[in-house]
């Protein structure tokens, strides 16, 4: 059986090679191990190999793992669709949220987080729906700037950047053009004076293209943990 130590090493090497090709320091690229539908025991295994950032897509499932693994110093990223009745759970338990696409949800997250005086603001990326994405999730390219300005003013949140989930394709040039479009969006926000620095993009099958286009956080599940149940 393939161990997590082996698969993690392969992913780290892919990241290092892509960074080299992009003439970027590898230290600029964070690796989020997407552990949805994998057990706390598998997460412990990854932790033992030095992995610290983990991503979950379902609020309740994520909460159970956060509680089961409270003895470890992990950074938890929420990357799934956000239902409004789960905003408190997410705001109280996660460090980052990548999938904010509506002001209403952002306000609820901010309100819940701001009640906690100990925790720093929730780190937030806005999910952008680039043209061609099948998912209904995500703010449009046309309205991302408006949402970003509003979110940047919320006290319980710290706006960090943008996230996307392009539809899967084996076409490397197409992968790159999608990620380049997200980078354009981020640069537009920076030109407007927003202090954003994060591009959350790249999964198991397209992390190289994402890193070539400037990804600062890649979200990798299958290539580390294997197929999900
Ligand atoms: C599941 C998921 C991933 C990981 O996908 P893999 O193809 O398994 O690497 C990354 N990002 C999001 C938003 C996901 O839901």
């Amino acid at each position: 059986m393939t161990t997590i130590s082996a698969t993690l090493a392969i992913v780290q090497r892919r990241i290092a090679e892509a960074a080299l090709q992009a003439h970027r320091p590898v230290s600029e690229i964070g690796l989020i191990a997407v552990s949805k539908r994998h057990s706390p025991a598998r997460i412990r295994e990854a932790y033992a190999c030095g992995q610290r950032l983990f991503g979950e897509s379902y609020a309740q499932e994520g909460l159970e793992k956060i509680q089961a693994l409270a003895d470890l110093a992990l950074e938890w990223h929420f990357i799934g669709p956000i239902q409004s009745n789960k905003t408190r759970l997410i705001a109280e338990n996660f460090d980052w949220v990548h999938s904010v696409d509506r002001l209403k949800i952002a306000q609820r997250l901010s309100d819940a987080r701001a009640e906690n005086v100990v925790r720093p603001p929730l780190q937030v990326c806005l999910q952008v729906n680039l043209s061609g994405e099948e998912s209904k999730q995500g703010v449009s390219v046309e309205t991302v700037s408006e949402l970003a300005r509003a979110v940047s003013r919320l006290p319980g949140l710290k706006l960090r950047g943008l996230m996307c989930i392009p539809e899967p394709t084996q076409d490397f040039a197409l992968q790159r053009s999608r990620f380049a479009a997200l980078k354009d969006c981020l640069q537009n926000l920076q030109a407007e004076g927003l202090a954003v620095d994060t591009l959350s993009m790249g999964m198991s099958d397209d992390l190289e293209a994402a890193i070539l286009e400037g990804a600062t956080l890649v979200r990798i599940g299958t290539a580390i943990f294997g197929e999900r149940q």
Side-chain angles (χ1 to χ4, degrees), residues 28-217:
E28 213 174 89
I29 302 152
L31 169 58
I32 300 172
V34 177
S35 45
K36 63 176 183 234
R37 301 206 190 114
H38 293 288
S39 67
R42 304 278 281 161
I43 297 174
R44 278 190 194 278
E45 230 179 302
Y47 175 86
C49 303
Q51 181 63 33
R52 295 292 180 269
L53 280 46
F54 292 87
E56 289 285 335
S57 297
Y58 310 100
Q60 189 58 38
E61 178 189 336
L63 174 63
E64 283 163 23
K65 291 177 201 173
I66 290 170
Q67 290 173 341
L69 298 164
D71 57 314
L72 307 182
L74 305 180
E75 186 176 281
W76 289 100
H77 294 247
F78 189 80
I79 62 175
I82 307 167
Q83 295 167 287
S84 54
N85 64 350
K86 292 293 185 329
T87 47
R88 173 167 294 279
L89 186 165
I90 293 168
E92 288 178 347
N93 292 283
F94 284 82
D95 301 294
W96 281 69
V97 178
H98 294 232
S99 40
V100 172
D101 63 358
R102 281 176 292 158
L103 185 56
K104 188 96 195 289
I105 291 289
Q107 281 164 336
R108 291 177 63 98
L109 289 169
S110 174
D111 290 347
R113 185 69 164 210
E115 283 174 20
N116 186 324
V117 291
V118 182
R119 285 253 200 173
L122 191 57
Q123 310 291 299
V124 160
C125 291
L126 304 183
Q127 182 173 349
V128 179
N129 194 335
L130 305 165
S131 58
E133 282 182 25
E134 281 168 35
S135 138
K136 298 237 167 33
Q137 239 58 250
V139 60
S140 71
V141 170
E142 290 73 32
T143 55
V144 62
S145 157
E146 188 186 337
L147 180 60
R149 275 180 276 122
V151 168
S152 71
R153 289 192 286 260
L154 295 174
L157 307 184
K158 168 90 182 108
L159 179 65
R160 294 297 303 272
L162 302 175
M163 182 272 244
C164 69
I165 313 175
E167 64 187 308
T169 169
Q170 297 303 315
D171 181 341
F172 190 68
L174 187 57
Q175 290 177 1
R176 281 194 68 164
S177 73
R178 297 269 172 68
F179 294 135
L182 194 70
K183 184 188 191 167
D184 274 351
C185 285
L186 189 82
Q187 287 174 336
N188 287 339
L189 299 183
Q190 289 167 336
E192 289 175 24
L194 289 173
V196 284
D197 59 9
T198 300
L199 278 174
S200 167
M201 57 189 195
M203 311 187 356
S204 290
D205 292 331
D206 55 15
L207 74 89
E208 284 83 3
I211 289 171
L212 282 170
E213 297 300 341
T216 63
L217 285 173

Side-chain angles (χ1 to χ4, degrees), residues 32-35 38 203-204 219-228:
I32 300 172
V34 177
S35 45
H38 293 288
M203 311 187 356
S204 290
R219 311 178 308 267
I220 311 299
T222 311
I224 295 172
F225 295 106
E227 295 294 334
R228 289 178 281 274

